[in-house]
Amino acid sequence: MQNIRAYEESLSLEMIQVLQDCGATIYGLAATDRVHERVPTLCFNLPDVAPARVTETMARAGIGIRDGHMYAPRLMKRLGVPLESGVVRASLVHYNTVEEIHNFGNAMLDLTKHG
């Protein structure tokens, strides 16, 4: 279990870097020195890109992520996120790879470049 946890931390670090490179707002702990305090599920939004558009674009690229209020309307309110649009959620686990995160990053960068 310790090896799985360490691997998931490395995936979280990689995903945080990819999201930061895309200019995403990451909700929750994003400080790399605190990654051990989180699970490898990240909620985020891209500037000027609707969460639904992000998930639709990713689905066309063969990447499964989710968007919406995540059944947490009070949290969305606290984050200042409109309930109608919500956030994007990417969930990683021990069977994901760094290569998959890089593919995700390439698709995200393409999305941000082409608005």
Side-chain angles (χ1 to χ4, degrees):
M1 292 305 293
Q2 290 174 347
N3 289 340
I4 289 172
R5 181 72 186 129
Y7 182 66
E8 287 181 348
E9 284 181 19
S10 72
L11 294 176
S12 292
L13 288 170
E14 195 70 32
M15 183 63 104
I16 289 169
Q17 185 62 56
V18 163
L19 291 171
Q20 289 173 340
D21 290 347
C22 294
T25 299
I26 301 171
Y27 302 102
L29 293 176
T32 56
D33 62 335
R34 294 183 66 192
V35 74
H36 64 281
E37 297 176 42
R38 65 167 308 130
V39 297
T41 297
L42 290 101
C43 288
F44 65 93
N45 275 326
L46 292 177
D48 303 318
V49 182
R53 183 153 179 253
V54 175
T55 57
E56 290 165 7
T57 301
M58 291 298 164
R60 285 193 296 276
I63 299 168
I65 57 176
R66 301 291 175 254
D67 69 273
H69 55 66
M70 307 301 150
Y71 302 99
R74 289 183 292 189
L75 176 60
M76 295 300 119
K77 183 177 181 179
R78 184 172 179 188
L79 295 174
V81 174
L83 193 60
E84 300 77 31
S85 59
V87 296
V88 181
R89 183 187 71 215
S91 302
L92 302 166
V93 292
H94 58 278
Y95 54 75
N96 290 114
T97 66
V98 171
E99 181 182 359
E100 289 172 321
I101 295 172
H102 291 171
N103 291 340
F104 171 88
N106 291 335
M108 289 282 287
L109 286 173
D110 191 50
L111 175 64
T112 58
K113 287 179 186 174
H114 297 104

